[in-house]
């Protein structure tokens, strides 16, 4: 008997929906849009690869880009505590919009909240 991964339970279609809903919010967020590219197609493609493996699915991110080293890859971007909070708020709303519920949602959100805090690399400043 094979154990289902969180990726199997969410499924590719729902993950795609979640990422789309998430970047629509990021691209419109006053605290986030200035640090992201105008066209989020490629960002969303990489994030889908990353979250696929984060959830236990195929290792597409690592195959194409190497070890994620996420904190290092975020160093060029000024990630303040309030941007981390904004990122998580976009994710929370995207989860609602996509109808992600229950333990799986709570576990994913909790893990993402830890990863997001780990990405903070810049003290708060007024914009
Ligand atoms: C890339 C911001 C948290 C995963 C990026 C980029 C920005 C950014 C500006 C570059 C986009 C581009 O040029 O295409 C933020 C902010 C965060 C945050 C403000 C708030 C804490 C996270 C978290 C994850 C994550 C929690 C993991 C779930 C990624 C990935 C990429 C990326 C996989 C693409 C890296 C690559 O170029 O290969 N992020 N990020 N980020 N972020 Fe984040």
């Amino acid at each position: 008997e094979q154990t289902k991964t969180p990726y199997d339970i969410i499924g590719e279609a729902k993950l795609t929906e979640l990422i789309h809903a998430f970047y629509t919010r990021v691209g419109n967020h006053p605290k986030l849009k200035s640090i992201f590219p105008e066209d989020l197609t490629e960002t969303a493609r990489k994030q889908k690869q990353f979250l696929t493996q984060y959830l236990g699915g195929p290792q597409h991110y690592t195959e194409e880009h190497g070890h994620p080293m996420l904190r290092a890859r975020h160093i060029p971007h000024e990630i303040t505590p309030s941007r981390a909070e904004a990122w998580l708020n976009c994710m929370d709303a995207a989860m609602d919009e996509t109808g992600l519920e229950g333990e799986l949602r709570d576990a994913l959100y909790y893990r993402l909240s830890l990863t997001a805090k780990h990405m903070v690399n810049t003290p708060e400043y007024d914009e």
Side-chain angles (χ1 to χ4, degrees), residues 35-37 43 46-47 50 61 70 74 77 79 84 87 112 116:
I35 62 165
F36 278 88
T43 312
K46 288 181 185 165
Q47 185 64 274
F50 179 79
Y61 183 90
L70 272 195
H74 284 77
H77 314 290
I79 310 208
W87 192 105
L112 289 172

Side-chain angles (χ1 to χ4, degrees), residues 28-117:
N28 287 308
H29 198 293
K31 288 226 146 230
L32 297 175
K33 65 179 173 197
S34 62
I35 62 165
F36 278 88
E38 177 100 22
D39 180 354
L40 289 165
T41 314
E42 183 59 14
T43 312
R45 189 183 75 85
K46 288 181 185 165
Q47 185 64 274
K48 185 179 167 194
Q49 291 179 318
F50 179 79
L51 288 179
T52 295
Q53 69 185 56
Y54 193 78
L55 291 164
Q59 304 285 301
H60 296 315
Y61 183 90
T62 297
E63 279 161 22
E64 186 175 330
H65 313 285
H67 192 287
M69 309 179 301
L70 272 195
R71 194 170 195 283
R73 289 190 204 262
H74 284 77
I75 291 292
H77 314 290
E78 291 187 341
I79 310 208
T80 56
S82 68
R83 283 193 177 126
E85 197 186 322
W87 192 105
L88 285 167
N89 288 339
C90 289
M91 183 55 76
D92 195 30
M95 285 174 163
D96 282 345
E97 199 180 318
T98 318
L100 217 66
E101 291 170 341
E103 262 177 59
L104 190 69
R105 177 209 172 111
D106 294 347
L108 177 58
Y109 186 82
Y110 177 67
R111 261 184 92 193
L112 289 172
S113 72
L114 299 181
T115 306
K117 284 189 187 88

